[in-house]
């Protein structure tokens, strides 16, 4: 949406916040101060902040039907737009005819554009300005595909999308005329900002003509770039939508890409729904669409033209009426007879999608509001190679086997209950792992100079207004009344730590101050979003905040990176580092950001070496740059667990100071820099990640079932119990199987239960004071003295093996 449209939706209360939804933007008006008991109303708790529209500022935000100025939700709007499944409904032809008329008007407009020579600079600095036949590159004619073909045809045919940073636009190019002036949530999430040149790099269709001199052209491939995957899956969602229209006459609503695929939501009346039997017909139809190599065609339309295109689809009509400002333009994309309201970009044609699978389906609601129309959602995944789909399916099967939700039940580790959804009940064996993780981090704290602290679980909401979280995060907080004042369970530890820092006069000699807190946190996640231990309401983090001088940033970040390395090396997980820099909506002075980013970059160069980390320009939090650490598990899945984030704003909000030791007037005190850092993230989340990474085969040092002592006959039960007692005394989790099962069955039971070792006790072992060691992988390690076994196990524990 353009600025004009935003201004029209402003409330008198103040500025506006962008709330993320799958395909478009929702606006919320903010509140500022905590309401007094006399002024509190049922809607006060839904007020939100207006200033932060960055990805991190909105992280974890939940769209609610009850908050903010929105689309008219007074009535169900689907009506009789869908009555029954109808293959290739007549309105497909009507829509194509309308499209053709609009295309003719746009073609006439474009005929007046003047083709002028342009040049294109590639990432390596090479400037290209001619085709292979020596004809010049021309604005309004030459596309990224043409440029790629100059280098090699293979590059042109394998590139999914281009990332273009324009040096300048030609004189007759107008953003508004091209439908590019308004904001689009999906496009925003895929853009990067060139901080040095203050230019914007945008994703651009490979076949869309360029409209100016290009300062940098990047050609992105599916297997090496996240944006390319996003575009590929976005295009695949359109193909899915086309198939659903062909087969059933569904009224399409929104169909965005996801991190690992895509979905499309459809209106199918009140009595119809997708079934698993629909998957194969949909897959067959998408295959036909792919074989036709239908071109993705971009078309700019006015608001009125868009409404005529989507007449009869009340959901598209509502999006257009609400989100497209009067007198402005937007864009649609066509492939085959599908025409969809979309900012793009897309792959050149449907033939790029070589493999497609419908993966699951579910019911959902329009705008996520259960009071509105019920929709049917179908998920899918696609690839540019059939082998990739085969590997994906194999990994899905492995993932099912390793699913922590299955393993925690199978191994009696954790349970959940409807009386406290999203809060784990840690059973004895699960608690053993939880404590091992906590103690592992605490041992590092001891070695690395951290001070552990304990802070309250509940605070007056005034604390969160001071920190700014009440405006950014209140929807995700558990709030309640205490003697007429609003209080809340803490969703994070940082404001409490700031109170602790401010509680006494600090000297420059006290810094760095490293405060670590395993406090219990609560976040009010929607029940439908709760996912095992990966998404919960009650959790604990290995949360720490480092308060330091500006000249200490680099050394503290380097130390934190070394900390992270030790942790994930222990887990047997690889990682990638990304530096996210100053966003457009950043708070604070640019000079401060530049110095902080330089310090982070220097630390990352020292730690990983130049060229061994990636920069995400403009992707930092609004309050400071950050280092994103993406770890890979045994199935090469990426997880965001550890994080390091500089914060300039909380020290300002809490007026944190330290004595510099200077006698110069005005320089006696300075503001500390705050570094948020976590190695595990939440203990619950890393528990789930490690459970799946190891497939439930916990390494000995963290295993809840380390040793099973197995007497070969009941007459050796007493000896076996004695061995167990010695192991228990040494701090190991050991059990004895005194059942009447056969030896083979006892061993098998212990291995299935994932005991790391079985210690066999028979006549010979009794006489020699020994045990015979067998591993859970059925490797026989031989006979050893019990004391030597304990020494061996102690070494394994100390070395985290």
């Amino acid at each position: 949406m353009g600025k004009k449209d935003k201004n029209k939706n402003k409330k008198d209360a103040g500025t506006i916040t962008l709330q993320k939804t799958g395909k478009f933007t929702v606006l919320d008006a903010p509140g500022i101060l905590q309401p007094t008991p006399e002024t509190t109303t049922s809607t006060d708790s839904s007020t939100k902040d207006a200033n932060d529209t960055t990805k991190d500022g909105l992280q974890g935000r939940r769209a609610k039907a009850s908050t903010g100025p929105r689309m008219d939700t007074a009535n169900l709007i689907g009506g009789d737009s869908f009555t029954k499944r109808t293959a290739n409904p007549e309105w497909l032809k009507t829509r194509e005819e309308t499209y053709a008329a609009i295309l003719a008007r746009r073609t006439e407009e474009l005929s007046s554009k003047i083709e002028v020579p342009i040049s294109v600079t590639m990432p390596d600095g090479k400037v290209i300005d001619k085709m292979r036949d020596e004809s010049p590159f021309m604005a309004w004619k030459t596309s990224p595909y043409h440029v790629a073909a100059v280098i090699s045809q293979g590059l042109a045919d394998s590139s999914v999308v281009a990332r273009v940073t324009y040096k300048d636009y030609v004189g007759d190019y107008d953003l508004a005329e091209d439908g590019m002036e308004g904001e689009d949530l999906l496009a925003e999430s895929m853009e990067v900002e060139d901080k040095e040149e203050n230019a914007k790099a945008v994703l651009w269709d490979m076949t869309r003509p360029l409209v100016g001199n290009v300062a940098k052209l990047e050609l992105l491939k599916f297997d090496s770039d996240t944006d390319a995957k996003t575009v590929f899956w976005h295009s695949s969602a359109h193909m899915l939508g086309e198939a659903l229209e062909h087969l059933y006459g569904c009224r399409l609503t929104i169909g965005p890409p996801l991190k690992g695929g895509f979905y499309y939501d459809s209106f199918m009346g009140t009595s119809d729904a997708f079934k698993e039997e629909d998957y194969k017909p949909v897959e067959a139809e998408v295959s036909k669409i792919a074989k036709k190599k239908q071109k993705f065609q971009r078309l700019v339309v006015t608001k009125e033209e868009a409404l005529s295109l989507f007449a009869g689809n009340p959901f598209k009509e509502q999006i257009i009426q609400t989100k497209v400002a009067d007198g402005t333009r937007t864009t649609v994309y066509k492939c085959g007879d599908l025409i969809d309201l979309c900012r793009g970009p897309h792959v050149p044609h449907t033939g790029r999608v070589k493999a497609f699978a419908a993966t699951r389906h579910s019911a959902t609601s329009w705008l996520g509001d259960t009071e509105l129309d019920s929709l049917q959602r179908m998920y899918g995944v696609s690839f540019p190679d059939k082998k990739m789909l085969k590997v994906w399916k194999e990994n899905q099967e492995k993932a099912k086997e390793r699913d922590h939700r299955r393993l925690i039940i199978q191994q009696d580790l954790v349970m959940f209950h409807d009386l406290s959804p999203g809060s784990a009940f840690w059973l004895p064996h699960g608690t053993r792992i939880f404590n091992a993780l906590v103690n592992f981090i605490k041992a590092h704290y001891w070695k690395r100079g951290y001070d552990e602290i304990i802070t309250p679980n509940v605070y007056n909401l005034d604390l969160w207004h001071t920190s700014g979280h009440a405006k950014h995060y209140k929807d995700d907080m558990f709030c309640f009344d205490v003697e007429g004042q609003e209080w809340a369970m803490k969703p994070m530890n940082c404001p409490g730590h700031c109170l602790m820092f401010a509680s006494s006069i600090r000297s420059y000699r006290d810094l760095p101050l490293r405060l670590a807190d395993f406090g219990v946190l609560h976040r009010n996640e929607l029940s439908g979003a709760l996912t095992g231990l990966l998404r919960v309401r009650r959790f604990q983090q290995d949360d720490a905040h480092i308060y330091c001088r500006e000249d200490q940033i680099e050394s503290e970040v380097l130390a934190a990176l070394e900390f992270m390395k030790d942790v994930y090396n222990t887990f047997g997980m690889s990682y990638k580092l990304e530096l996210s820099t100053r966003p457009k909506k950043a708070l604070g002075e640019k000079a401060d950001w530049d110095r902080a980013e330089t310090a982070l970059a220097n630390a990352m160069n020292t730690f990983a070496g130049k060229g061994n980390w990636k920069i995400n320009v403009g992707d930092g939090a609004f309050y400071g740059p950050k280092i994103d650490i993406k770890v890979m598990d045994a199935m090469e899945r990426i997880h965001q667990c550890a994080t390091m984030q500089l914060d300039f704003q909380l020290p300002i909000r809490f007026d944190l100071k330290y004595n510099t030791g200077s006698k110069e007037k005005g320089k006696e005190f300075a503001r500390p820099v705050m570094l948020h850092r976590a190695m595990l993230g939440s203990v619950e989340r890393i528990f789930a990640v490690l459970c799946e990474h190891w497939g439930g085969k916990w390494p000995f040092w963290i295993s809840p079932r380390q040793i099973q002592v197995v007497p070969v006959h009941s007459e050796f039960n007493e000896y076996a119990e004695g061995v167990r007692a010695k192991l228990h005394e040494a701090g190991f989790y050991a059990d004895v199987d005194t059942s009447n099962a056969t030896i083979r069955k006892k061993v098998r039971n212990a291995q299935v239960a994932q005991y790391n070792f079985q210690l066999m006790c028979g006549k010979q072992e009794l006489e020699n004071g020994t045990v015979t060691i067998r591993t859970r992988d059925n490797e026989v390690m031989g006979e050893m003295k019990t004391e030597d076994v304990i020494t061996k196990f102690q070494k394994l524990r100390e070395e985290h093996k």
Side-chain angles (χ1 to χ4, degrees):
M1 275 182 297
K3 294 179 181 178
K4 295 179 183 177
D5 194 38
K6 289 182 185 176
N7 292 334
K8 288 181 181 180
N9 285 286
K10 277 190 180 181
K11 281 190 174 182
D12 294 336
T15 52
I16 284 181
T17 291
L18 277 171
Q19 245 194 2
K20 289 188 173 182
T21 58
K23 190 89 165 180
F24 45 87
T25 301
V26 176
L27 304 178
D28 279 344
I32 299 175
L33 299 176
Q34 178 177 346
T36 62
E38 292 76 21
T39 60
T40 300
T41 69
S42 61
T43 59
D44 286 332
S45 64
S46 67
T47 57
K48 299 177 182 69
D49 178 68
N51 300 319
D52 175 34
T53 59
T54 65
K55 283 183 266 186
D56 286 85
L58 291 174
Q59 192 174 32
R61 294 295 295 274
R62 297 182 292 126
K64 282 185 168 183
S66 61
T67 58
R70 295 189 162 227
M71 297 182 187
D72 180 10
T73 60
N75 300 300
L76 300 178
I77 63 173
D80 60 359
S81 62
F82 179 97
T83 55
K84 63 178 182 178
R85 297 190 180 204
T86 304
N88 297 307
E90 281 298 314
W91 49 261
L92 290 178
K93 188 181 297 183
T94 303
R95 190 175 63 189
E96 278 204 285
E97 292 170 352
T98 304
Y99 178 92
I102 301 170
L103 176 61
R105 290 194 286 271
R106 289 300 93 77
T107 302
E108 185 177 352
E109 286 181 9
L110 289 173
S111 66
S112 65
K113 301 297 182 183
I114 302 172
E115 295 180 4
V116 296
I118 58 172
S119 64
V120 175
T121 303
M122 303 305 292
D124 62 0
K126 183 179 180 181
V127 178
I128 309 175
D129 59 7
K130 291 183 177 65
M131 302 286 284
R132 287 191 172 185
D133 63 3
E134 295 299 314
S135 61
F137 286 170
M138 305 295 285
W140 301 107
K141 181 179 180 180
T142 303
S143 69
Y145 185 88
H146 292 128
V147 178
V150 171
I151 300 170
S152 85
Q153 191 61 46
L155 176 63
D157 291 336
S158 62
S159 297
V160 171
V161 69
R163 187 186 289 127
V164 181
T165 302
Y166 277 102
K167 182 178 181 181
D168 52 49
Y169 292 121
V170 291
D172 55 356
Y173 177 72
D174 182 79
L175 285 167
E177 184 184 57
D178 196 30
M180 292 288 286
E181 191 175 51
E183 293 185 35
D184 175 84
L185 192 61
L186 180 63
E188 180 184 70
S189 71
M190 296 190 293
E191 288 177 2
V192 295
E193 183 182 1
D194 190 317
K195 179 168 69 90
E196 296 300 325
E197 299 183 20
N198 196 28
K200 184 187 291 183
V202 294
L203 294 181
W204 201 266
D205 302 89
M206 287 293 293
T207 55
R208 180 180 171 189
L210 296 165
V211 291
N213 292 299
V214 177
K216 185 178 182 182
L217 175 68
E218 300 168 83
L219 302 168
L220 312 181
K221 296 185 179 182
F222 179 90
D223 56 359
S224 59
D225 190 273
T226 302
D227 282 349
K229 284 187 174 71
T230 299
V231 169
F232 190 91
W233 284 327
H234 187 192
S235 301
S236 301
H238 279 233
M239 295 168 67
L240 171 60
E242 183 180 353
L244 295 176
E245 286 188 340
H246 287 176
L247 294 171
Y248 313 122
C250 296
R251 290 297 188 175
L252 302 180
T253 62
I254 61 171
L258 305 170
K259 285 186 178 179
F262 48 90
Y263 69 78
Y264 222 117
D265 286 348
S266 307
F267 178 66
M268 300 179 68
T270 57
S271 58
D272 203 348
F274 290 133
K275 304 179 289 292
E276 284 194 28
E277 300 87 84
D278 293 320
Y279 291 7
K280 285 190 176 180
V282 168
E283 290 172 350
E285 187 65 22
V286 171
S287 179
K288 291 178 184 178
I289 292 168
K291 288 176 181 177
K292 292 178 180 178
K293 295 185 178 180
Q294 300 168 349
K295 293 181 180 179
F296 277 89
Q297 298 170 292
R298 179 180 184 270
L299 182 67
V300 180
V301 297
T302 65
K303 182 173 184 176
E304 293 72 23
E305 289 169 339
L307 287 170
S308 66
L309 264 176
F310 297 101
N313 184 329
F315 303 95
K316 299 290 188 184
E317 288 176 325
Q318 192 176 77
I319 294 172
I320 296 163
Q321 290 283 16
T322 310
K323 305 301 175 185
V324 181
D326 292 339
T328 66
R329 294 183 171 194
T330 187
T331 55
V332 298
Y333 273 79
K334 182 179 187 297
C335 64
D337 55 12
L338 174 85
I339 299 160
D340 205 359
L341 187 67
C342 180
R343 184 70 172 266
H346 286 283
V347 297
H349 59 78
T350 59
R352 291 293 185 92
V353 178
K354 303 293 186 184
F356 171 94
T359 56
R360 60 191 176 100
H361 67 279
S362 66
T364 185
S365 300
W366 177 232
L367 303 181
D369 186 343
T370 55
E371 298 298 317
L372 302 183
D373 295 271
S374 178
L375 306 177
Q376 300 302 314
R377 177 174 295 178
M378 182 171 286
Y379 291 87
V381 70
S382 62
F383 297 94
D385 189 299
K386 290 182 179 180
K387 291 180 182 178
M388 290 182 177
L389 179 60
K390 182 181 179 182
V391 171
W392 180 86
K393 288 182 175 179
E394 290 171 353
N395 286 338
Q396 291 300 110
E397 288 303 313
K398 290 178 183 177
K400 287 180 184 177
E401 295 173 6
R402 291 171 175 245
D403 192 327
H404 78 278
R405 292 168 294 184
R406 183 178 70 87
L407 292 173
I408 61 176
I409 295 171
Q410 188 180 85
Q411 297 184 4
D412 290 322
L413 304 177
V414 179
M415 62 167 272
F416 290 91
H417 198 283
D418 289 343
L419 292 180
S420 186
S423 298
F425 290 74
W426 293 91
L427 301 173
H429 289 85
T431 303
R432 292 174 179 181
I433 301 172
F434 188 101
N435 288 341
L437 285 168
V438 171
N439 291 334
F440 171 61
I441 295 297
K442 286 187 174 185
H444 275 285
Y445 285 161
W446 181 256
K447 290 190 297 183
R448 297 173 186 276
Y450 285 78
D451 289 309
E452 285 192 66
I453 57 174
I454 300 172
T455 50
N457 281 354
V458 296
Y459 294 89
N460 187 297
L461 205 68
D462 285 342
L463 173 73
W464 307 104
H465 282 284
T466 300
S467 70
H469 289 100
K471 293 188 287 184
H472 290 284
Y473 218 86
K474 190 176 178 185
D475 280 350
D476 293 283
M477 297 169 69
F478 286 100
C479 301
F480 48 91
D481 180 84
V482 178
E483 298 178 344
Q485 285 286 305
E486 198 168 12
W487 286 57
M489 305 287 286
K490 67 177 177 182
M492 63 276 296
N493 290 307
C494 27
H497 292 189
C498 287
L499 293 181
M500 191 170 284
F501 184 95
S503 65
S504 64
I505 298 174
R506 306 287 179 179
S507 165
Y508 70 94
R509 296 186 184 91
D510 299 326
L511 305 182
L513 181 63
R514 308 181 188 98
L515 302 179
D517 191 345
F518 274 98
V520 176
L521 307 176
H522 288 84
R523 294 182 184 174
N524 188 14
E525 301 282 359
L526 287 173
S527 58
L530 302 175
T531 309
L533 291 168
L534 292 173
R535 194 78 172 266
V536 292
R537 287 175 173 166
R538 186 265 189 207
F539 59 98
Q540 289 173 254
Q541 290 181 320
D542 64 325
D543 202 8
H545 296 95
I546 301 172
Y547 299 89
C548 63
R549 304 189 306 268
E550 188 175 311
D551 64 292
Q552 295 172 324
I553 291 175
E554 184 175 333
S555 60
E556 286 304 304
V557 170
L558 181 59
L561 287 170
E562 293 289 351
F563 189 168
M564 179 277 301
K565 178 182 177 182
D566 284 352
V567 168
Y568 286 96
N569 281 350
T570 299
F571 295 157
M573 301 177 80
S574 58
Y575 53 84
K576 293 180 180 178
L577 303 179
E578 299 180 358
L579 173 60
S580 297
T581 60
R582 186 174 181 267
K584 289 179 282 188
K585 302 292 183 177
L587 299 180
E589 296 297 322
K590 184 177 182 295
D592 294 335
W593 278 81
D594 290 344
R595 288 194 301 273
E597 288 170 11
T598 299
L600 292 182
N602 289 341
M604 293 170 76
N605 283 335
T606 302
F607 175 75
K610 288 186 178 181
N612 293 321
W613 51 273
K614 178 184 173 184
I615 187 166
N616 291 328
V617 181
D619 203 32
F622 69 95
Y623 50 79
K626 61 177 180 173
I627 298 176
D628 289 318
I629 298 144
K630 296 181 178 178
V631 299
M632 276 70 74
D633 65 14
M635 291 179 286
E636 297 185 351
R637 297 177 303 181
I638 296 174
H639 303 276
Q640 181 75 56
C641 299
T643 186
M644 296 170 201
Q645 208 150 8
L646 283 183
D647 190 342
F648 304 123
Q649 297 307 310
L650 278 186
I652 294 172
R653 284 180 172 271
F654 284 91
D655 194 26
L656 304 185
K657 301 174 183 176
Y658 66 89
N659 190 316
T660 63
S662 174
K663 302 299 183 182
E664 186 178 343
K665 188 174 181 179
K667 294 186 178 181
E668 299 91 340
F669 291 91
R671 194 84 67 195
V673 177
M674 187 176 179
L675 173 63
H676 305 254
R677 47 102 300 182
M679 299 299 142
L680 304 180
S682 80
V683 182
E684 284 76 2
R685 180 176 178 80
I686 196 67
F687 185 105
V689 170
L690 291 175
C691 186
E692 297 182 2
H693 172 59
W694 288 320
K697 292 190 171 186
W698 302 96
F700 181 80
W701 71 272
I702 199 174
S703 176
R705 295 177 177 88
Q706 293 173 317
I707 305 143
Q708 178 80 294
V709 185
V710 182
V712 300
H713 190 274
S714 59
E715 64 182 290
F716 304 112
N717 285 357
E718 184 178 349
Y719 177 67
E721 290 286 3
V723 171
R724 190 210 70 85
K726 291 179 180 178
L727 291 165
H728 181 80
E729 183 68 22
F732 297 107
Y733 298 126
D735 299 303
V736 180
D737 185 350
T738 57
S739 70
N740 294 323
T742 63
I743 295 302
R744 179 175 293 181
K745 182 66 173 174
K746 288 182 179 182
V747 169
R748 179 60 182 159
N749 287 345
Q751 291 172 346
V752 169
Q754 297 304 327
Y755 282 92
N756 300 76
F757 296 98
Q758 300 93 54
L759 305 186
M760 313 302 294
C761 298
K763 181 179 180 181
Q764 179 174 308
E765 287 80 11
L766 173 62
E767 292 174 350
N768 297 336
T770 60
V771 292
T772 297
I773 307 174
R774 186 188 295 263
T775 71
R776 66 180 164 201
D777 295 322
N778 212 28
E779 177 188 354
V780 179
M781 300 179 68
E783 189 177 351
M784 290 181 68
K785 290 283 188 181
T786 303
E787 292 73 16
D788 294 338
V789 170
I790 290 174
T791 300
K792 175 183 176 67
F793 289 163
Q794 287 172 334
K795 185 177 180 181
L796 288 175
R797 182 171 59 190
E798 290 167 4
E799 294 177 353
H800 297 103
K801 294 183 178 178

